């Protein structure tokens, strides 16, 4: 659908691109895919466009809406960790037990579906490189197994819900369980980055949100990005939804829910909220060689590593690995999605695309994400 619309964006003016983006959003609002959304696309100066409503029956979606970006957080914590490497405070391949003593003496399941006591000792320590590549041995378990049941029982399974406990308690519960595989020898999504947030907090001696604010958000001028929405900005927090049998179901109200105001416990293992304009500042830094306003934020070598495939081929097993797009028309593009309907990319020609919605990703949402990603081909 809309093939001609997509072609019209190639090399178009800002106005043409904005019109195409707005029409894409409106089409999916009208179809019931999303109540509303915010997006931008282009190199250099871009226009933020918004369509639809912030909540069903509520007011219009604002261009400065503060959205729950979930896994789009992972790119930011990766940059923060690599900045600590560049400052000499961490190394990519050193053991992390000095900061995370919970990781001492890891036991590893003989096979991922084994009973929890059918283990062998870990052959190597978990490192920062393992966390950054999702190869620590911790992560989402998609196949039924004793480990999956144990993670569900102790509150450490991954899912759309925000954290239910503080960072230290979450890590204590996670490390009561064995690893699914030897560190560096498998791939499982998500949990390594929650551990990474706790690591950054402990290395720096302050909560993750405070460190990110001073180290990344402040220098980049990202005034609306944080681990929660400040009280005075709650009118900019849309509702959150998921698709169900009866259509869209609200999972968090506009101006409310977990991200409304500071939580009652440490969320260094949590995920961020942000705006299209804020995330654009971060993505432009990646597009401009790791520099912001001429100042280096991340070294060329670390930028190369963060924007290229670092996962060993042997770890890309069909049972758990999420393949990216390293071939085809979008070869050379880097980016990531967030579980509540968000997506961003940076193309080799400097084009940045950002899509922020408030609906959980799933089969109803993928066509919107794919059509958004097709509005510009990397060159």
């Amino acid at each position: 659908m809309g093939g001609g619309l997509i072609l019209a964006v190639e090399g178009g003016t800002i106005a043409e691109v904005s019109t195409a983006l707005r029409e894409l959003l409106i089409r999916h609002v009208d179809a019931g895919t999303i109540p509303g959304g915010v997006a931008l696309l282009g190199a250099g100066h871009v226009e933020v466009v918004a369509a639809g409503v912030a909540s069903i029956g509520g007011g219009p979606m604002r261009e400065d809406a503060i959205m729950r970006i979930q896994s789009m957080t992972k790119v930011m914590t990766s940059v923060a960790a690599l900045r600590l490497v560049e400052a000499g405070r961490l190394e990519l391949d050193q053991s992390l037990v000095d900061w995370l003593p919970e990781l001492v003496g890891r036991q590893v399941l003989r096979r991922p579906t084994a009973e929890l006591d059918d283990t062998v000792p870990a052959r190597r320590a978990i490192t920062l490189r393992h966390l950054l590549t999702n190869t620590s041995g911790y992560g989402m378990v998609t196949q039924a197994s004793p480990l999956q049941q144990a993670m569900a029982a102790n509150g450490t399974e991954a899912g759309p819900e925000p954290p239910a406990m503080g960072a230290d308690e979450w890590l204590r519960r996670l490390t009561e369980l064995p690893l699914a595989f030897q560190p560096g020898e498998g791939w499982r999504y998500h949990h390594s980055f929650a551990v990474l947030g706790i690591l950054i907090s402990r290395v720096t001696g302050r909560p993750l949100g405070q460190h990110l604010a001073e180290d990344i958000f402040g220098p980049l001028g990202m005034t609306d990005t944080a681990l929660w929405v400040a009280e005075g900005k709650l009118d900019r927090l849309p509702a959150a939804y998921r698709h169900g049998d009866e259509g869209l179901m609200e999972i968090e109200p506009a101006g409310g829910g977990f991200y409304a105001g500071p939580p009652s416990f440490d969320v260094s293992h949590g995920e961020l909220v942000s705006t299209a304009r804020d995330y654009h500042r971060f993505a432009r830094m990646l597009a401009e060689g790791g520099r912001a306003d001429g100042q280096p934020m991340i070294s060329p070598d670390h930028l190369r590593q963060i924007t290229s495939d670092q996962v060993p081929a042997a770890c890309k097993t069909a049972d758990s690995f999420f393949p990216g797009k390293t071939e085809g028309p979008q070869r050379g593009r880097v980016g990531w999605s967030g579980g509540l309907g968000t997506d961003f990319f940076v193309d080799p020609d400097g084009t940045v695309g950002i899509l922020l919605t408030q609906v959980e990703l799933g089969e109803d949402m993928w066509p919107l994400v794919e059509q958004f990603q097709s509005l510009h081909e990397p060159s």
Side-chain angles (χ1 to χ4, degrees):
M1 62 197 267
L5 168 70
I6 289 171
L7 293 175
V9 177
E10 290 296 318
T13 66
I14 291 175
E16 289 169 339
V17 170
S18 298
T19 298
L21 269 180
R22 190 172 283 110
E23 289 178 0
L24 175 67
L25 292 176
I26 290 171
R27 199 162 71 235
H28 282 277
V29 168
D30 291 346
T33 313
I34 53 173
V38 185
L40 61 80
L41 177 66
H45 175 71
V46 293
E47 182 183 0
V48 178
V49 302
V53 293
S55 63
I56 295 172
M61 179 67 78
R62 296 170 50 157
E63 292 172 10
D64 64 351
I66 301 175
M67 309 293 254
R68 305 161 182 87
I69 63 168
Q70 293 201 336
S71 284
M72 281 168 57
T73 301
K74 292 175 168 64
V75 193
M76 295 187 182
T77 49
S78 296
V79 169
L82 292 171
R83 283 173 59 80
L84 290 171
V85 172
E86 291 171 19
R89 302 177 71 177
L90 273 174
E91 295 177 18
L92 276 168
D93 296 305
Q94 74 182 116
S95 168
L96 301 178
V97 297
D98 286 351
W99 299 281
L100 303 173
E102 296 93 338
L103 297 182
V104 170
R106 295 297 79 208
Q107 292 292 307
V108 182
L109 294 173
R110 289 183 186 273
R111 60 186 191 287
T113 56
E115 295 297 326
L116 296 182
D117 58 358
D118 186 10
T119 61
V120 297
R123 290 195 287 266
R124 61 189 67 87
I126 294 172
T127 68
L128 175 57
R129 190 183 301 275
H130 294 145
L131 297 183
L132 291 170
T133 55
N134 285 302
T135 58
S136 69
Y138 292 116
M140 290 171 60
V141 182
T142 54
Q143 56 190 142
S145 65
L147 179 59
Q148 183 191 56
Q149 294 166 4
M151 291 176 74
N154 79 355
T156 58
E157 66 179 343
E161 308 309 322
M165 67 196 82
D168 290 347
E169 173 66 11
W170 178 87
L171 184 61
R172 185 188 69 76
R173 293 191 188 193
L174 183 72
T175 54
E176 287 175 346
L177 302 173
L179 303 178
F181 48 80
Q182 292 286 346
E185 296 183 20
W187 193 94
R188 289 274 171 88
Y189 190 56
H190 186 68
H191 288 67
S192 290
F193 280 87
V195 177
L196 178 66
I198 299 170
L199 173 67
I200 292 171
S201 171
R202 293 190 183 174
V203 169
T204 61
R206 53 189 178 174
L208 174 68
Q210 184 182 338
H211 178 71
L212 293 177
E214 295 182 18
D215 191 58
I216 294 180
F217 306 153
L220 291 177
M222 298 168 62
T223 56
D224 292 320
T225 303
L227 286 163
W228 62 82
V229 181
E231 306 278 359
K233 299 179 179 180
L234 290 179
D235 59 328
R236 294 162 57 194
L237 176 65
Y241 298 88
R242 70 169 54 107
H243 280 279
D245 294 337
E246 306 297 316
L248 287 169
M249 303 185 304
E250 184 178 281
I251 53 179
E252 287 201 343
F258 180 82
Y259 294 94
S264 59
F265 47 76
D266 176 27
V267 287
S268 292
H269 57 326
E271 294 174 315
L272 296 161
V273 293
S274 189
T275 64
R277 189 62 73 190
D278 264 18
Y279 209 91
H280 182 250
R281 292 188 175 98
F282 177 80
R284 286 256 26 107
M285 179 271 293
L286 298 178
E288 292 171 5
R291 302 174 74 85
D293 299 322
Q295 298 299 309
M297 289 288 291
I298 184 173
S299 72
D301 179 53
H302 281 147
L303 180 67
R304 180 190 60 77
Q305 291 188 60
I306 210 173
T307 56
S308 59
D309 185 2
Q310 300 294 309
V311 180
C315 296
K316 297 177 181 180
T317 55
D319 66 312
S320 67
F321 185 65
F322 299 170
K325 293 178 179 176
T326 55
E327 303 296 335
Q330 293 176 2
R331 180 183 177 88
R333 168 173 292 178
V334 297
W336 207 246
S337 299
L340 260 172
T342 65
D343 186 73
F344 92 99
F345 62 80
V346 178
D347 281 342
D349 65 358
T351 298
V352 171
I354 297 172
L355 171 69
L356 302 179
T357 81
Q358 77 264 50
V359 180
E360 197 174 284
L361 289 180
E363 60 180 327
D364 296 282
M365 285 289 292
W366 286 121
L368 167 57
V369 174
E370 289 166 0
Q371 289 160 26
F372 165 71
Q373 291 185 352
S374 298
L375 284 172
H376 180 267
E377 299 292 2
S379 59

